[in-house]
Amino acid sequence: MPRSDMTMGQHMDGWLAEHRGEDTTKEGHEPKIRLHIKPHIGKLKVVEVTDERLDELYRLLEATPIEANGNKPLGPKSVRRIHNIISAALDWVTGPRKLLTVNPAHTANPPTERQIKAAQPDFPPLNDHETTD
């Protein structure tokens, strides 16, 4: 049973260690947790995480330039991936006789599929003429 004083950082570490997905999936989750989740909400207790705090995190990631991202904010697709990681991790401690009764990520507002599709790609796709030798 997780402790009520457990921080999100501790929880994310434990969740990732127990993750049963492919090694490549875990390897993809680790930098997102280390660079984007733990610095912003890692010190919060799991029981203090609300959908409003998650919404604040998502807006922050969409607006704040990140050195590792060429001094650009994260795009909607990356923010949505971070949301999915948080949601899955919180599902681990949600339910009857668990730390949370409701997963706050389920009522948060990450970027939508429409916003993801509308975002300009960093590298526009090449047309047929541009791909010929």
Side-chain angles (χ1 to χ4, degrees):
M1 175 77 176
R3 302 177 333 268
S4 62
D5 65 342
M6 180 175 53
T7 66
M8 275 297 287
Q10 293 167 330
H11 175 58
M12 296 304 296
D13 290 342
W15 174 79
L16 189 60
E18 296 294 321
H19 192 277
R20 296 179 56 131
E22 298 286 329
D23 286 343
T24 54
T25 302
K26 287 176 77 166
E27 290 168 7
H29 288 351
E30 190 279 329
K32 290 174 183 67
I33 292 169
R34 178 174 38 84
L35 296 172
H36 307 300
I37 297 171
K38 288 171 79 173
H40 300 291
I41 62 171
K43 289 185 170 62
L44 282 178
K45 292 179 183 176
V46 173
V47 296
E48 295 173 333
V49 175
T50 64
D51 55 357
E52 291 91 0
R53 289 202 181 203
L54 293 176
D55 288 344
E56 289 170 7
L57 170 64
Y58 304 150
R59 301 302 83 80
L60 176 72
L61 295 174
E62 290 176 310
T64 305
I66 297 170
E67 187 176 336
N69 193 36
N71 285 321
K72 296 182 295 184
L74 293 181
K77 189 172 185 178
S78 294
V79 175
R80 183 64 183 230
R81 286 184 181 139
I82 290 166
H83 164 78
N84 291 342
I85 292 168
I86 292 169
S87 182
L90 291 176
D91 276 344
W92 206 42
V93 292
T94 301
R97 296 184 303 282
K98 290 195 176 181
L99 196 54
L100 303 173
T101 55
V102 176
N103 183 338
H106 292 180
T107 53
N109 297 294
T112 64
E113 289 299 320
R114 177 176 279 179
Q115 291 168 318
I116 292 168
K117 287 180 182 175
Q120 292 290 330
D122 285 340
F123 304 100
L126 300 175
N127 64 34
D128 288 340
H129 177 72
E130 295 168 320
T131 61
T132 59
D133 291 333

